[in-house]
Amino acid sequence: MIVSKLPNVGTTIFTTMSQLAAQTGALNLSQGFPDFDGPLALREAVARHVMEGHNQYSPMTGLLALREQVSAKIARCHGAQVNPDTEVTITPGATEAIFCAIQAVVRPGDEVIVFDPVYDSYEPSVELAGGRCVHVQLNPDTFAIDWERLEAALSPRTRLIMLNSPHNPSGALISRQDLDRLAELVQARGLYLVSDEVYEHLVYDGARHASVLAHPALYERAFVVSSFGKTYHVTGWKTGYVVAPPALSAELRKIHQYVNFCGVTPLQWGLAEYMAQHPEHVAELPGFYQAKRDLFCDLLDRSRFTFTRTPATYFQVVDYSAIRPDLNDVDMCLWMTREHGVAAIPISVFYQTPVEGQRLVRLCFAKREGTLRAAAEKLCAI
Ligand SMILES: Cc1ncc(COP(=O)(O)O)c(C=O)c1O
């Protein structure tokens, strides 16, 4: 009998809910992916590159043309200069970038700070590196960092902090002042930071995403991760990138080259071409998703769910205390899916210790107008 290296890992709630949605025919607002396609010109570009023979391994660090586009986009959006040769690495998804960054710095016995509610890939990656996650709860109402809790959780064994902003599942944004404070901690204690910024362009109401890329003191010790899947509506392409100072990138690449070696070549060609020809895509993204958020929230205003409009990401967290306070959030999601035809994700699964009495579920609004209208109608009938 094999002794599991990850005894606590089972089927994730994302798989469970998507499967249940498929079985019951429910509208799937659970897992975070669009029900519409990426831009036609992008898909055509990839198809053309496949047909033109761009089908062999790319360089281990990623296609230079794509790394240059990433660097140009970072200069445009975050006002930071990063060297495409030594600081940008293309990876098969943000997930692989996060995994490699963790393996690069975490040694057996190290502790890694994660903020709950936390994205589910971090902890298994830390455990495989021989480390241990120390969970620090975000403020349960605002999902901001609770500095007292953070300072209490730090120890001489702390090696790395995992940050995620814009935050999945809450949509909360970290502030520039928070980055200043984090930089002080990271520098004083010689820590590292992984900054998961896959929703960097999904920020609404004129707010700005405070990227670690635009914070030189923090960037010195950081791996900043993003995902083309989120930005170009092509989550199934599993293509992302990680930006880190040269010495950190060099260590990450040692691992990346044996986990995957390189990303998928024709996807990289297509993305590089599309990014060069359509820089407006990124600039238009906040408006595109804000319109979806507003449509969905305007419709949900008539429901018995309560919520504040999310400032970022394509997730809207809603409180169901007024509807079924007797149900925990997992049972609420099962009930909503089976009885009311809308699949959602419970928030408690993002916690090591769920917040007592919290009655929140996450709905994904990266959906066509028809899906959002149909889902809202069902949600208003609950
Ligand atoms: C916070 C966060 N990080 C990372 C990822 C993974 O991105 P990718 O599909 O590019 O691996 C996701 C996807 O849902 C996410 O929500």
Side-chain angles (χ1 to χ4, degrees), residues 246-259:
L248 298 190
S249 289
E251 283 308 308
L252 175 134
R253 288 170 177 183
K254 287 182 189 172
I255 295 159
H256 160 72
Q257 73 179 336
Y258 294 118
V259 173

Side-chain angles (χ1 to χ4, degrees), residues 136-152:
V136 176
Q137 252 185 37
L138 295 171
N139 178 304
D141 300 317
T142 61
F143 297 98
I145 292 178
D146 181 331
W147 292 97
E148 267 175 37
R149 278 181 192 259
L150 172 58
E151 304 226 1

Side-chain angles (χ1 to χ4, degrees), residues 319-381:
D319 188 311
Y320 63 89
S321 308
I323 302 173
R324 289 296 305 266
D326 56 313
L327 291 183
N328 69 38
D329 58 359
V330 174
D331 289 341
M332 179 68 184
C333 287
L334 295 173
W335 180 73
M336 281 170 61
T337 311
R338 292 194 180 116
E339 306 296 325
H340 294 278
V342 180
I345 293 288
I347 296 296
S348 63
V349 300
F350 296 82
Y351 282 90
Q352 183 182 49
T353 312
V355 179
E356 183 109 14
Q358 200 173 52
R359 292 283 181 265
L360 300 177
V361 299
R362 190 197 78 178
L363 300 165
C364 174
F365 58 80
K367 307 292 167 189
R368 286 174 296 211
E369 181 175 337
T371 312
L372 292 176
R373 285 189 184 280
E377 197 178 316
K378 289 176 188 290
L379 292 169
C380 286

